[in-house]
Amino acid sequence: MVRRAVLAPVMTVLVWALVATAGGRVVSADDTAGLDVSASSVFTVDSAASVVRAELRLTFVNSTVDQTVGTSVRRQYFTGYLFPAPIGSTAARAVDSEGRVVPVDDRPVADDDEFDLLSVTFPEPLFSGDRIIIDVTYDITGMPPRSPSPSRVNPAYAAFTAFGVGDPGQASIEVRIPEAFEIDTFGDDELLTISVDGGVATYSIEAIPDPGEFAFFVSARNDSALARDEFDISDDARFVIRSWPDDPVWVEFVTEQIAAGVPLLAELVERPWPIDRRVEIRQAFTPYLYGYAGWFSAAEAELEIGEDLDSDTVLHELAHAWFNAGWFAERWASEGLAQVYGDSALALLGGAPAAAEPPDPSDAAAFALVDWGAPRLEQGADETETFGYGASHWVMQRIVEDVGFAAMADVVDSIEAGALPYVGDATTPSTDGLASGSADWRRLLDLLEERAASDDAGDLIRMHVADSDGIGLLDQRLVARVAYDQLARAGGTWAPPLAVRVPLSDWDFAEAHRQIEAATDIVLQRDELRGLGDSLDLDLTSDLEVAFEAAAEFDDITSTLDRRRAAAVRVGEAVAAVADDRDVLELVGLIGADPVEVVELARRSLADGDTEAATASADRALDIVGDASSVGARRAAVATGLLLVVAAVLAVVLRRRNARTARRASQAAET
C-alpha cells in the first residue's frame, strides 16, 4: 500500500448563495429571509447509460408580509433560486407543477472542482403568500479520468456528491443504486437509513438539520462491469487487468509498467515473481477515498490502483508481492522496502523517484514505527499515515544503502528459510526452520547485523523503530552480545553453540547469559583437555567441535569431557611412570613385560575416544611398573636360591667325582 500524494477529496462544508430579487433588486443570501424552501432530492444510478439521474422537487413559499407605508405598499418578492449540483451535471430541465417550463441555467463556479450552481427562474415573481413547486432534473455524467474532481460515472463506477438543498429540517436526499454495486458513503451516517427492494439499494437521509453545510459523497463500484485484459510476462508471472470501460489509456500504462517493472524488481530482490497464480489488477477510486494511491493483497493476489498514471505507485504495489506480512511482521518494514525497491526500479526505468526525507522527531505526528498499525480506513488525510510512510521509507533507504541489495537478498533468504540470525560455524548443522514465521524488528535487526554486516541498522532502529520497551531490550541485547562475542573469541574455531544462539535469537537474554556461562565453562574444560592431549601428543578435542556447536544442551558433551579428562590424566600418569629410570630389581621385574606397549595401547584407545579401554590400559601399565621392584626382588631371591642349589649340587658332584677318582687311583696303586 502506498500513501497517495494528493489525498482523497475531503467533504468540506459548502456554503452557496441563495440569490433572489426583492423590490426589483438583487439581494444577497442574507436578504432572502421570507423565502421558505423545502426540497427532496433523488439520485438514481443508471449504470447502463453511464449517468446518475437527479430529480429534485423544490417547494418555495414566500412567507413575507406586505407592509403598508402611508399610501404605498411595500412588497417583497422572489424571482429565482440558486442551488448546487455535482460537477459534471448536464441536461438540466425544470417544470413547475402546472407543467410550465422553468428556465434553468448552469453557472460554473470558477476554480471549484466539486460543484456547479444551477439557477431556476420563477415563471413569475413570487409574492407574499405565493407558493410554487418546481421539479428539476439533470444528469450527472461525471468528469473524465484524472480530473481534479472525484466525480466519475461509468458502467463500473459511479461517484458523486449529493448536496443538501432547502431550509433546516426541510431537506431530504435519496440515493438509489443497483444492488450489484459495492458502496462507500461519506457523510453524516447517523442520519442515514438503508433499504433494499427489487434489486435496488436506497440510501435515505431525512430532515437534514443544516442543508447548507451538508454534503453526502457516494462511491459505488461494480467490479463485474470492469473491462478485462489478460497479460502474461511468463508462465510464472500472469496478470489480468480490470479497468473502467472508458479508460483504455490506464490499461496501456499499467501494462507497460508491469512488463518493465516486474523483471527489474525480481532482479533487485534476487527472487522470481512469487505469486503462482494470475494476479488481478483493478482500477479503482476506492483507495483514493481513504487517502491511498493503491493497495495490494499478496495472499488474495489482488491489487487495486487508482486512475492516476503514476509509475511510482504501480512499482511500489508490485514490490509488495515480495515485501508483505509473509516475510515481515511489521508494516513499517514492508512499506519501507516496497518503496525503496519500487524507487530503484523506477530509477532504472529512467524515472525520478522522490527523495526520502529524514523523519522529524519533533513532529506532532511522530511515533515509534513499531507502533504503526494496520491502515485505518478513514476518509481523508491522516498525519499518522503520512509520517509512517515517510519515516519507513527513509529508514529502509538508509539500511539498504548500508548493506546493499545482495546482502538484503541474504536477509530475505534467511527469513524465508526460518534460519537463526546467529550463524555459528560453517560446520554447524543448518538452523533452517528454527525461527520460522515473518520477522519482527528484533529478528530483522539481528539478521541485518549478523547476516548482512550492517553498521547502521542498530542506530536507525533504536532511533526510529523501537518504542521505550524496545529500547530497554536493545540495552539488554548490547550486554548479551558483548558476552556472546567474548565466548566466540574464547572458543576460537569452536563457534558459539545452538544452546546460546537460540535464546539470543529469541531475545531471551537471561537464558542466553546462563547458556553463555555454561558454554564458557566447556571451553575452559576443552582448553584443559587440549593441554593434556598436547602432553600426550594427542588431539583429544577436535572431534567435539561440531557436537559443541550443535548442542542444544550440554550434559552429553560435559560428560564426554569429564571422561576424557580423567582418562587423559590416567594415561599421562602411566606414560610418566613408564618413562622413569629403573633400578636393577625393577629391570629384573620387568623382564618379560612390555609396559611401553601397554601405554601405547592406552594412547591409541584414548585417541579413538574409548576412555574405558584407555583407562584400563593405563591402569595395567601403572600396575606393571608399580610391581616391577617387588617382582624383581622375588625373581632375585629365586635366582639366589637356585644358585645355592646349583652350588650344593656341584659340590656333591665334585665330592663324588673326587671320591671315584681317589678309588681309581688306589686301585691302580694296588695293582
Side-chain angles (χ1 to χ4, degrees):
M1 186 178 289
V2 63
R3 194 68 174 167
R4 191 177 182 222
V6 179
L7 299 176
V10 179
M11 296 300 104
T12 54
V13 173
L14 303 176
V15 180
W16 54 87
L18 302 177
V19 179
T21 59
R25 65 187 180 85
V26 177
V27 296
S28 69
D30 293 337
D31 295 327
T32 58
L35 179 64
D36 298 339
V37 183
S38 61
S40 62
S41 305
V42 179
F43 299 89
T44 303
V45 174
D46 184 347
S47 58
S50 294
V51 297
V52 177
R53 311 289 187 186
E55 302 173 278
L56 282 69
R57 171 154 287 190
L58 304 171
T59 301
F60 303 98
V61 176
N62 185 340
S63 61
T64 64
V65 178
D66 294 344
Q67 296 180 356
T68 301
V69 180
T71 59
S72 63
V73 177
R74 183 179 180 184
R75 308 180 69 188
Q76 184 171 349
Y77 61 91
F78 300 93
T79 61
Y81 185 70
L82 191 66
F83 61 95
I87 196 164
S89 299
T90 62
R93 295 178 66 254
V95 296
D96 67 7
S97 56
E98 298 180 8
R100 292 178 295 180
V101 174
V102 175
V104 56
D105 297 319
D106 184 7
R107 300 186 184 183
V109 179
D111 300 325
D112 195 293
D113 56 12
E114 293 190 41
F115 68 96
D116 289 335
L117 292 174
L118 294 179
S119 171
V120 293
T121 301
F122 302 151
E124 54 194 27
L126 197 67
F127 289 99
S128 176
D130 288 348
R131 179 175 183 272
I132 187 172
I133 298 174
I134 297 177
D135 291 323
V136 179
T137 62
Y138 58 86
D139 292 339
I140 305 172
T141 59
M143 303 300 288
R146 291 166 290 284
S147 298
S149 166
S151 180
R152 303 283 185 274
V153 183
N154 60 59
Y157 183 66
F160 61 96
T161 302
F163 296 106
V165 176
D167 293 338
Q170 299 300 311
S172 67
I173 293 175
E174 191 174 283
V175 178
R176 300 171 182 171
I177 306 174
E179 194 177 7
F181 280 76
E182 179 183 332
I183 302 164
D184 288 308
T185 61
F186 299 90
D188 194 339
D189 290 343
E190 294 180 358
L191 301 175
L192 183 65
T193 61
I194 305 172
S195 61
V196 179
D197 184 33
V200 175
T202 300
Y203 293 73
S204 302
I205 303 171
E206 303 289 340
I208 299 171
D210 192 352
E213 296 185 0
F214 183 86
F216 183 66
F217 184 79
V218 177
S219 171
R221 56 188 288 178
N222 179 11
D223 289 349
S224 65
L226 291 169
R228 177 186 178 90
D229 296 271
E230 290 191 2
F231 169 67
D232 297 343
I233 296 177
S234 67
D235 292 340
D236 299 320
R238 299 170 295 141
F239 303 88
V240 57
I241 315 298
R242 304 294 305 280
S243 64
W244 295 337
D246 63 346
D247 197 1
V249 172
W250 184 88
V251 176
E252 181 180 1
F253 173 80
V254 170
T255 302
E256 290 174 350
Q257 298 305 305
I258 295 171
V262 166
L264 284 177
L265 288 168
E267 183 177 346
L268 290 169
V269 182
E270 296 189 16
R271 306 180 78 83
W273 178 254
I275 302 176
D276 61 359
R277 53 178 167 155
R278 192 171 294 280
V279 176
E280 183 168 301
I281 299 179
R282 290 189 295 268
Q283 182 177 15
F285 206 91
T286 305
Y288 290 172
L289 301 176
Y290 296 97
Y292 300 94
W295 45 48
F296 184 33
S297 170
E300 300 297 328
E302 295 178 345
L303 192 163
E304 288 193 356
I305 304 176
E307 61 184 359
D308 291 342
L309 308 181
D310 182 3
S311 297
D312 181 60
T313 296
V314 178
L315 294 170
H316 175 103
E317 297 303 336
L318 289 173
H320 274 305
W322 292 274
F323 302 112
N324 54 62
W327 284 350
F328 301 99
E330 293 153 358
R331 188 178 170 204
W332 72 273
S334 294
E335 291 295 348
L337 285 169
Q339 190 62 50
V340 169
Y341 279 74
D343 284 352
S344 298
L346 178 60
L348 291 171
L349 291 172
E357 297 293 337
D360 181 1
S362 66
D363 189 329
F367 60 91
L369 288 175
V370 70
D371 295 329
W372 193 24
R376 294 176 296 172
L377 296 184
E378 298 174 357
Q379 191 272 335
D382 185 298
E383 292 181 352
T384 297
E385 290 291 277
T386 301
F387 178 86
Y389 277 104
S392 297
H393 181 195
W394 186 80
V395 169
M396 276 304 183
Q397 182 68 54
R398 289 283 305 277
I399 287 174
V400 174
E401 288 175 351
D402 176 30
V403 304
F405 286 110
M408 281 303 304
D410 290 340
V411 169
V412 168
D413 286 344
S414 299
I415 292 173
E416 188 171 51
L420 293 182
Y422 293 89
V423 179
D425 189 79
T427 61
T428 304
S430 171
T431 61
D432 289 359
L434 294 183
S436 59
S438 54
D440 63 7
W441 68 271
R442 298 173 302 172
R443 185 175 166 210
L444 178 59
L445 173 58
D446 285 344
L447 288 170
L448 286 168
E449 290 188 338
E450 292 297 314
R451 303 263 179 167
S454 174
D455 295 322
D456 298 337
D459 290 339
L460 290 167
I461 286 176
R462 177 181 286 270
M463 293 173 59
H464 301 289
V465 178
D467 57 13
S468 57
D469 290 341
I471 290 173
L473 286 174
L474 284 169
D475 292 339
Q476 296 177 42
R477 175 180 182 266
L478 182 61
V479 175
R481 282 170 63 85
V482 169
Y484 177 82
D485 289 342
Q486 290 173 341
L487 171 63
R489 287 194 296 272
T493 62
W494 286 31
L498 193 64
V500 170
R501 290 183 285 124
V502 168
L504 196 59
S505 298
D506 292 340
W507 287 47
D508 184 352
F509 300 122
E511 179 63 17
H513 280 293
R514 283 192 290 271
Q515 297 296 343
I516 288 172
E517 183 177 351
T520 301
D521 286 343
I522 288 176
V523 169
L524 293 175
Q525 294 175 47
R526 176 209 64 181
D527 291 344
E528 180 184 357
L529 181 58
R530 185 177 285 171
L532 292 171
D534 290 345
S535 67
L536 297 172
D537 196 23
L538 294 176
D539 180 357
L540 301 180
T541 60
S542 62
D543 63 316
L544 299 178
E545 181 174 343
V546 172
F548 172 77
E549 293 172 349
E553 55 84 28
F554 299 126
D555 289 348
D556 289 345
I557 194 167
T558 298
S559 177
T560 299
L561 286 168
D562 287 343
R563 291 196 305 272
R564 289 194 182 181
R565 182 173 58 253
V569 168
R570 195 62 172 163
V571 172
E573 292 173 350
V575 169
V578 169
D580 280 348
D581 293 334
R582 307 292 174 207
D583 59 24
V584 173
L585 286 177
E586 289 175 325
L587 292 173
V588 170
L590 291 175
I591 294 172
D594 190 356
V596 173
E597 182 180 346
V598 177
V599 165
E600 186 59 30
L601 178 60
R603 290 180 69 259
R604 289 198 299 271
S605 297
L606 185 59
D608 293 339
D610 190 344
T611 55
E612 290 187 9
T615 301
S617 295
D619 288 344
R620 272 184 54 208
L622 286 169
D623 288 344
I624 290 171
V625 297
D627 294 342
S629 181
S630 60
V631 170
R634 288 196 300 272
R635 287 179 175 177
V638 170
T640 301
L642 289 173
L643 288 174
L644 291 174
V645 170
V646 169
V649 170
L650 287 174
V652 171
V653 170
L654 287 173
R655 284 197 298 271
R656 289 179 177 177
R657 181 180 295 175
N658 291 333
R660 284 196 302 269
T661 302
R663 282 196 301 270
R664 290 174 183 162
S666 174
Q667 292 173 355
E670 290 176 357
T671 302

